[in-house]
Amino acid sequence: NAGVTQTPKFQVLKTGQSMTLQCAQDMNHNSMYWYRQDPGMGLRLIYYSASEGTTDKGEVPNGYNVSRLNKREFSLRLESAAPSQTSVYFCASRKKDNTEAFFGQGTRLTVV
Amino acid sequence: AQSVAQPEDQVNVAEGNPLTVKCTYSVSGNPYLFWYVQYPNRGLQFLLKYITGDNLVKGSYGFEAEFNKSQTSFHLKKPSALVSDSALYFCAVRGEDSSYKLIFGSGTRLLVRP
């Protein structure tokens, strides 16, 4: 089973460029999440989607937008990348509120 | 707002000794609590969870965690550490308003020396 698939795995952007991080899950999960991981700060929630058709802000939403395209896919967009957005980004999904989340392998993004 | 604290950046333990990785939480209502492990250059893997029921929860790879409501803690434990347990460990709590938020702590690096 593929589980949660993120693309790309690595990306280098120039300041001001835009890009979309893609995430897809094949487990028929209802909820999907985007986190960023920075040294010493753990995982911080950017946006999440409790179910298809809904999205909500997490702890650090500024500078990002999301789209829950369908039940499988949840994309994260950086409209104008900044060096502060250099991070490792993880997508996750889970079926219900009391079940565990499954994570993708991450996207390492560098903004120069 | 809900929060999770992992007070130790790093825990060092000798192989064969018991280990404890600490986690405290703040959330109104009933907490749903989770532990995850991350190996280098990998995503997070689920270890165990507490939803309701017995305060001692058993999970993958011999790990267990004890839910303590009065101390608002959910410490991860293992009776005998292995070198292969060396990794980054994260505690997480579900959002207090059933919003499906899942909030993580800052992580604790576990180093098991031979």
Side-chain angles (χ1 to χ4, degrees), chain B residues 7-23:
Chain B
E8 301 156 316
D9 290 335
Q10 182 162 314
V11 170
N12 298 309
V13 64
E15 188 174 30
N17 283 359
L19 69 88
T20 299
V21 182
K22 295 179 180 178
C23 171

Side-chain angles (χ1 to χ4, degrees), chain B residues 62-102:
Chain B
F63 283 94
E64 58 189 30
E66 186 168 11
F67 171 65
N68 188 318
K69 189 171 184 178
S70 62
Q71 296 184 3
T72 61
S73 67
F74 189 55
H75 300 332
L76 182 69
K77 299 181 180 183
K78 188 174 182 182
S80 178
L82 299 172
V83 172
S84 57
D85 293 330
S86 298
L88 191 54
Y89 290 81
F90 289 97
C91 183
V93 66
R94 158 262 215 174
E96 59 191 357
D97 55 356
S98 297
S99 65
Y100 280 77
K101 275 184 182 178
L102 191 58

Side-chain angles (χ1 to χ4, degrees), chain A residues 43-107:
Chain A
L43 272 75
R44 292 182 292 170
L45 181 62
I46 305 171
Y47 271 93
Y48 66 104
S49 170
S51 60
E52 185 179 358
T54 69
T55 60
D56 287 283
K57 294 178 180 180
E59 302 166 281
V60 289
N62 291 346
Y64 305 95
N65 285 301
V66 290
S67 295
R68 183 74 182 266
L69 304 170
N70 46 54
K71 193 170 186 179
R72 290 187 64 249
E73 299 171 286
F74 188 40
S75 62
L76 178 72
R77 183 161 178 84
L78 287 70
E79 290 291 352
S80 179
S84 61
Q85 295 178 305
T86 293
S87 187
V88 181
Y89 291 84
F90 286 100
C91 177
S93 71
R94 58 179 181 151
K95 191 168 185 64
K96 296 181 182 179
D97 191 30
N98 61 354
T99 59
E100 64 270 26
F102 290 79
F103 282 79
Q105 293 299 295
T107 295

Side-chain angles (χ1 to χ4, degrees), chain A residues 3-14:
Chain A
V4 179
T5 303
Q6 290 182 236
T7 55
K9 288 185 170 53
F10 301 94
Q11 184 71 49
V12 179
L13 288 179
K14 293 182 179 179

